[in-house]
């Protein structure tokens, strides 16, 4: 499956409450984006719930994270926030 990995940093400065949880200030989110397409062996409506992501190195499969999604129609882009890293 073709996926895009993004690293998202939102500094809170002196007012972290503007960005939601103040404990997330100074952390980096690892976000994976992909499309719900038939060519990726998906292409069906996905129900609301938890999505777990695994990565294979050719010999073993490693769990890399999970996120909750809302009901997602066919051919829609999904964005999963997998990890919050402290910097």
């Amino acid at each position: 499956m073709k996926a895009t990995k993004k690293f998202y940093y939102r500094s809170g400065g002196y007012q972290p409450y503007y960005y939601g949880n103040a404990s997330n200030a100074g952390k980096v989110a690892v976000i994976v984006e992909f499309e719900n397409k038939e060519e990726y062996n998906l292409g069906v409506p996905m129900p609301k719930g938890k999505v777990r992501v695994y990565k294979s190195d050719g010999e073993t499969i490693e769990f890399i994270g999970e996120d909750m999604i809302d009901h997602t129609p066919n051919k829609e882009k999904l964005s999963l926030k997998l990890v919050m890293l402290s910097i």
Side-chain angles (χ1 to χ4, degrees):
M1 168 187 314
K2 180 180 175 186
T4 303
K5 185 190 297 186
K6 295 181 178 182
F7 299 93
Y8 184 71
Y9 176 76
R10 181 183 285 179
S11 67
Y14 294 105
Q15 300 173 353
Y17 55 87
Y18 282 121
Y19 303 112
N21 188 349
S23 67
N24 287 339
K27 294 187 178 182
V28 176
V30 178
I31 298 170
V32 175
E33 295 180 337
F34 62 94
E35 291 185 57
N36 182 11
K37 290 183 170 182
E38 287 182 34
E39 64 188 81
Y40 302 141
N41 295 321
L42 298 172
V44 296
M46 298 176 84
K48 181 178 182 175
K50 188 181 295 185
V51 175
R52 291 187 173 132
V53 180
Y54 297 85
K55 183 178 179 179
S56 173
D57 65 2
E59 294 181 18
T60 60
I61 297 175
E62 180 180 1
F63 174 75
I64 60 171
E66 64 185 20
D67 196 9
M68 297 294 291
I69 63 168
D70 203 359
H71 299 289
T72 306
N74 186 14
K75 299 180 184 173
E76 283 288 316
K77 182 188 253 185
L78 286 158
S79 182
L80 306 174
K81 181 168 58 170
L82 301 179
V83 182
M84 290 294 287
L85 304 171
S86 296
I87 56 168

